[in-house]
Amino acid sequence: MVFSLPDELERLSAVLRREPATNATADALDTNMGRFRSQWINNRQMRGSQLPLPVPRNQGLHPNGCELQASYLDFQFEWKEEEGAPWRAEYQVRVEGYLDADGALFELQDHWRLDTDMYAPCRRVAADGNANPSKEPHPLFHFQRGGHAQDAFAAVDFLPANPCTVSGVWKGLMQSPGPRIPVVPLDPILAIDFCLSQNDGTIWRRLRNFPEYLDLIESAQSRLWLPFFAQLQDQKFRRTWFGPSMLV
Amino acid sequence: MIGADTPLAGSTIAQRLELLSPIIADLVPLQMPKGSLGERPWRYCLLTKESQQQLIPVDPARAVKVKPRSSMPTWLDPLYAALSIALQNREDPRLDKEDLRRLQIYIREG
């Protein structure tokens, strides 16, 4: 029997509503619940955008002195009952903030994502991961910084850039596409839990004091991760998950 | 050890006993009454409380949600009915029909 992800999201929303910091997340889930339900019934898919999250705690932020305003999660999840892992499980997190530097106001964004390569036909054909067309190995489910949303953000009025209207010698943070770090697959329930835990551990721990929250997360982990861990006994699956770097 | 990473809310009766026994003497493990399923009794059965003024523990994961007639403040815990009590009161419109359906597979256990 296929699990009912919309029902579980509805239960998650009820718990999130009990914590003031996640009220907006619950609102967004409830607002989109009808759409989630029809997507799930029709195609075993779910697509969400701009799901508000509590902002990360103000610690170790760059640039110094910046203020955080908002954080959002976009996701695409696709389940095929015959597969042992999600067909598609993609999550994109965006954090927004600003830096008021007296004469200049900087609009700031941070982007990170959890990607899956399984939906790509080339990847499906290459069950052992050897025929991955990317020069750098892309693990089946991987963490990576950036993404298309970041590319779009950095395309206009972005500093540092060339040409540049600011003169002088300055330092800036640079970002390259790697590394693509293998991660376990997540469904939207586990992704929300993961994002909450990474953005603000205090809020996340308050949620974990609700038995309803813990039960939902435990059920989702049992459903998705126990079969996944079992499949890791198979070397072919290990290589599909980790990519061609996996030799054992 | 009890702590932020191991909330009591996630522990079973046996785990709670193990965690709390070193700091509370003579703890007796809770026995789940017949018809109330699960191992994490953190809520009570509203229907039993209403009808018999008795508190029956329920595990929210194995209990039927009770929808309040009016909206509740968020700081109040959600309401539940033990599965067997809910089955005896199927016609109660407050009972969550989805939960009754979802919990069908556990009926034999109860």
Side-chain angles (χ1 to χ4, degrees):
Chain A
M1 191 178 83
V2 178
F3 64 101
S4 178
L5 189 55
D7 287 346
E8 293 189 14
L9 278 175
E10 211 165 271
R11 289 166 59 202
L12 179 66
S13 160
V15 191
L16 294 178
R17 198 166 289 291
R18 301 196 63 194
E19 162 58 46
T22 50
N23 250 315
T25 316
D27 282 343
L29 286 174
D30 289 345
T31 304
N32 289 287
M33 199 58 73
R35 194 164 54 81
F36 290 157
R37 207 168 276 286
S38 66
Q39 288 172 346
W40 188 252
I41 290 169
N42 292 334
N43 305 308
R44 300 277 173 255
Q45 289 182 17
M46 203 173 275
R47 184 183 288 232
S49 65
Q50 304 259 22
L51 194 71
L53 298 168
V55 294
R57 283 191 315 116
N58 195 341
Q59 181 180 299
L61 291 173
H62 290 291
N64 283 334
C66 72
E67 296 285 338
L68 296 183
Q69 283 185 307
S71 177
Y72 297 99
L73 169 68
D74 292 353
F75 67 85
Q76 287 188 59
F77 182 73
E78 188 173 351
W79 181 257
K80 289 184 188 294
E81 197 57 22
E82 66 276 15
E83 299 289 329
W87 184 258
R88 184 172 190 162
E90 296 180 356
Y91 304 93
Q92 176 88 44
V93 172
R94 181 174 86 253
V95 181
E96 296 179 352
Y98 67 91
L99 175 67
D100 188 350
D102 287 335
L105 182 66
F106 290 92
E107 182 189 343
L108 304 168
Q109 288 191 6
D110 183 19
H111 295 257
W112 58 267
R113 66 188 202 266
L114 302 173
D115 258 349
T116 176
D117 276 2
M118 198 177 206
Y119 68 94
C122 54
R123 182 79 184 188
R124 297 295 297 164
V125 171
D128 63 0
N130 276 335
N132 187 339
S134 308
K135 286 192 172 57
E136 294 77 27
H138 288 211
L140 184 55
F141 306 106
H142 62 265
F143 166 91
Q144 195 172 6
R145 302 206 62 85
H148 295 308
Q150 178 176 284
D151 294 342
F153 175 72
V156 184
D157 296 334
F158 188 82
L159 281 179
N162 192 7
C164 180
T165 53
V166 181
S167 59
V169 178
W170 303 89
K171 292 176 183 173
L173 286 175
M174 190 170 66
Q175 190 181 92
S176 59
R180 298 162 193 87
I181 302 169
V183 295
V184 292
L186 300 177
D187 68 12
I189 304 261
L190 295 176
I192 291 170
D193 177 63
F194 180 72
C195 292
L196 291 172
S197 73
Q198 295 303 307
N199 275 12
D200 194 321
T202 310
I203 294 168
W204 177 69
R205 285 187 169 84
R206 284 205 296 267
L207 286 166
R208 281 162 52 94
N209 275 310
F210 294 120
E212 289 85 357
Y213 185 84
L214 275 174
D215 175 59
L216 270 171
I217 304 303
E218 187 186 42
S219 303
Q221 289 184 3
S222 299
R223 179 180 58 233
L224 200 56
W225 289 355
L226 292 183
F228 177 79
F229 295 148
Q231 279 184 292
L232 288 177
Q233 296 299 315
D234 175 29
Q235 196 217 19
K236 193 174 170 184
F237 183 82
R238 281 201 298 275
R239 296 202 73 197
T240 305
W241 170 59
F242 200 88
S245 318
M246 175 69 75
L247 299 176
V248 295
Chain B
M1 213 174 97
I2 308 167
D5 284 331
T6 51
L8 267 183
S11 58
T12 63
I13 295 171
Q15 288 166 337
R16 268 178 251 179
L17 189 72
E18 191 183 330
L19 287 167
L20 296 173
S21 286
I23 48 176
I24 304 171
D26 304 325
L27 267 187
V28 178
L30 183 69
Q31 297 286 330
M32 290 298 275
K34 188 171 167 53
S36 188
L37 310 181
E39 297 178 313
R40 293 167 177 165
W42 280 101
R43 305 285 185 240
Y44 64 88
C45 172
L46 179 72
L47 300 188
T48 312
K49 185 165 183 262
E50 283 177 347
S51 61
Q52 300 166 34
Q53 286 73 55
Q54 279 183 1
L55 284 178
I56 284 186
V58 297
D59 177 342
R62 298 284 182 271
V64 179
K65 277 195 292 293
V66 176
K67 294 172 183 167
R69 292 193 175 95
S70 56
S71 61
M72 291 186 355
T74 51
W75 47 267
L76 281 179
D77 286 335
L79 304 171
Y80 294 93
L83 182 57
S84 64
I85 308 294
L87 290 171
Q88 292 164 21
N89 295 273
R90 280 175 186 275
E91 303 312 313
D92 190 326
R94 297 173 298 167
L95 293 174
D96 187 303
K97 300 288 178 283
E98 189 55 40
D99 271 355
L100 277 170
R101 188 185 60 79
R102 178 174 66 87
L103 295 167
Q104 286 283 329
I105 53 170
Y106 302 110
I107 286 175
R108 281 185 190 170
E109 284 181 33

